Amino acid sequence: MNRYAFYFDASRCTGCKTCELACKDYHDLSPKVAFRKVYEYVGGGIDVDEAGVVRSNNVWTTYTSMNCNHCEDPACVYVCPTGAMHKDEMGFVSVDHDKCVGCKYCELACPYNVPAFDAEIGQMRKCDACESRVAKGENPICVDACPLYALDFGPIDEMKKKHGESEWFAPLPDPSYTSPTTIFKGCSVAPQGGTSTGEVLNPKEVE
């Protein structure tokens, strides 16, 4: 059985959020639930002299499109008291809605802020990598929707061979905590992971 992984290239992402909208539409999600979120990370500044003339401008912005990373060591699975959050043989982390009691422990444990509480059903929901599409040989809907090919998906060995090793850049959390399977590629202005030279510009949108 193949195990799969996502790939994200920050050098291609323009923050258009087409991936996010496609996911919401395909899964018929409410406005308060999102399986994929686009983080807008900004930093730098403008140097202005006493006359108000701009001397230099080093403002930068990066975008990071993120859904569940279907981690090798998923914190959400370890803290789930009912076994509702589980990882299958394809490597996908999913919610068993026959077991979920909506305790939100998974939401608190996930460093990527992935599991979302759906008040309409009183349970947790999250990305399952469009498992039904993958079973038919199709890509997750977000991958096919990206107009600039910033996203890719496939068997994990093929993704590593095609895209190389994952990079750690801000605002991603330390990958050693859960070992995400997503392969992240940064861009020229993306700060090194673990630094705080910028800030998330859209915190309420991605919370």
Side-chain angles (χ1 to χ4, degrees):
M1 178 70 71
N2 277 329
R3 293 175 60 251
Y4 293 84
F6 283 93
Y7 166 76
F8 169 72
D9 185 349
S11 69
R12 286 182 171 270
C13 183
T14 62
C16 71
K17 301 177 185 175
T18 303
C19 55
E20 185 176 331
L21 293 172
C23 176
K24 272 185 169 289
D25 179 60
Y26 181 76
H27 293 285
D28 194 23
L29 302 178
S30 72
K32 295 184 178 181
V33 177
F35 290 172
R36 181 172 281 279
K37 304 171 185 178
V38 178
Y39 288 72
E40 301 173 11
Y41 195 63
V42 301
I46 300 174
D47 181 19
V48 181
D49 65 17
E50 295 178 355
V53 177
V54 176
R55 291 175 174 173
S56 62
N57 180 349
N58 67 342
V59 175
W60 51 264
T61 303
T62 64
Y63 301 98
T64 303
S65 177
M66 188 157 44
N67 62 332
C68 179
N69 295 302
H70 303 281
C71 301
E72 296 285 359
D73 300 306
C76 59
V77 172
Y78 295 145
V79 302
C80 181
T82 66
M85 197 69 72
H86 64 285
K87 186 171 184 175
D88 64 24
E89 58 186 1
M90 296 172 70
F92 299 145
V93 178
S94 304
V95 183
D96 183 341
H97 290 287
D98 290 331
K99 297 180 179 179
C100 181
V101 295
C103 67
K104 303 183 183 179
Y105 286 179
C106 55
E107 181 181 18
L108 294 171
C110 176
Y112 296 93
N113 191 32
V114 166
F117 181 72
D118 189 334
E120 293 182 1
I121 63 173
Q123 294 182 323
M124 306 307 295
R125 298 187 67 184
K126 61 176 291 299
C127 160
D128 65 354
C130 291
E131 192 167 3
S132 60
R133 287 175 58 89
V134 175
K136 295 185 293 184
E138 300 173 345
N139 283 324
I141 195 70
C142 57
V143 175
D144 284 348
C146 180
L148 292 175
Y149 306 102
L151 295 172
D152 198 3
F153 179 85
I156 191 168
D157 291 340
E158 292 182 15
M159 290 294 98
K160 288 181 177 180
K161 183 177 180 180
K162 181 177 180 181
H163 300 295
E165 294 299 318
S166 185
E167 300 174 7
W168 181 25
F169 53 89
L172 295 172
D174 188 339
S176 67
Y177 181 49
T178 60
S179 300
T181 58
T182 299
I183 298 171
F184 291 100
K185 178 183 177 183
C187 59
S188 59
V189 297
Q192 182 178 353
T195 61
S196 55
T197 56
E199 63 178 328
V200 176
L201 191 64
N202 61 333
K204 289 190 176 295
E205 187 178 325
V206 298
E207 65 183 7

